[in-house]
Amino acid sequence: MRSILQAPESLSAIEAEAIRLMLVPPSLEGSGFEGTMGFFVEGEGALIDTDTVRVLGWAVPPSVAFDQATDLTAYHIGDHVWCTATVRWVLSGPALLRDTLRIKSVGCVWETRVLVSTTNADARLTVLRGQGTRALPAGQFSVLSPGLADYTNLISHERRWMEVQRLQLSGRLTVERLIAEGRLDVPLPPLR
């Protein structure tokens, strides 16, 4: 079961679900999720501190890593064995912070209930339900890596995120205004 959950196909299925549920919404509104932000030494990428933050969404699809599986149950149906499990994943990537509207390096733990077949090679992992994300426990801060810091810096300089920063700095875009209006007054170009 562990090898199935760590397989590229399973990680891709979780990434697709995270994209569907957790990318930054075009309107810049929504409840977002909880994560852990990493603070890095400028130019060196060394992690010096972390903080629990509210995130509006991922700026780009997050990286996904299998963490653990519990509550495994197997069912024999016809010629196949199907299993359900509660699986904890670690997601990390550049994300838009809810309070500052800045792109930062963030990681979180996401728990899902999944269905997968151990005998049917054509069956894909299916997410039955997911819990809200949680901040990373101390033992998993390693996903907040220097590589992630460099990637986040690159993403934060993309035109769409620079426009969010320009609007925020000019006072035309604030979290309070977004909440009051329920929308962004200048639409963002789509992700490429």
Side-chain angles (χ1 to χ4, degrees):
M1 184 71 171
R2 184 180 192 88
S3 64
I4 292 170
L5 293 170
Q6 292 176 329
E9 298 82 18
S10 294
L11 298 177
S12 292
I14 295 301
E15 179 184 298
E17 193 69 3
I19 289 168
R20 187 179 75 77
L21 296 172
M22 296 183 234
L23 276 185
V24 173
S27 63
L28 295 181
E29 58 186 27
S31 59
F33 57 90
E34 182 180 87
T36 301
M37 177 177 64
F39 294 95
F40 297 89
V41 175
E42 187 86 22
E44 292 180 29
L47 181 67
I48 57 172
D49 201 6
T50 62
D51 193 16
T52 300
V53 293
R54 280 306 285 175
V55 173
L56 202 54
W58 298 112
V60 294
S63 294
V64 177
F66 169 79
D67 185 32
Q68 71 176 16
T70 58
D71 302 324
L72 286 107
T73 306
Y75 304 92
H76 192 82
I77 302 172
D79 294 337
H80 297 289
V81 175
W82 293 87
C83 295
T84 58
T86 300
V87 184
R88 195 165 69 188
W89 311 94
V90 176
L91 309 178
S92 61
L96 186 68
L97 299 184
R98 186 170 178 74
D99 60 344
T100 64
L101 299 179
R102 296 205 182 269
I103 302 294
K104 296 295 181 182
S105 299
V106 173
C108 66
V109 173
W110 187 34
E111 193 171 273
T112 61
R113 186 76 177 158
V114 299
L115 173 69
V116 66
S117 175
T118 59
T119 57
N120 184 349
D122 295 330
R124 288 184 40 126
L125 176 138
T126 302
V127 176
L128 302 173
R129 67 180 175 275
Q131 303 292 324
T133 66
R134 294 186 319 268
L136 294 171
Q140 293 179 319
F141 289 160
S142 63
V143 299
L144 302 173
S145 67
L148 177 57
D150 292 342
Y151 183 53
T152 298
N153 187 42
L154 180 69
I155 296 300
S156 70
H157 287 88
E158 287 183 352
R159 186 170 58 95
R160 68 182 279 138
W161 307 119
M162 294 299 284
E163 180 66 8
V164 168
Q165 292 308 303
R166 186 187 68 73
L167 290 171
Q168 185 191 32
L169 290 173
S170 70
R172 292 179 41 210
L173 178 62
T174 63
V175 174
E176 293 78 15
R177 183 171 177 181
L178 281 172
I179 292 169
E181 294 178 1
R183 64 174 179 81
L184 175 63
D185 58 354
V186 177
L188 294 174
L191 277 174
R192 292 183 192 173

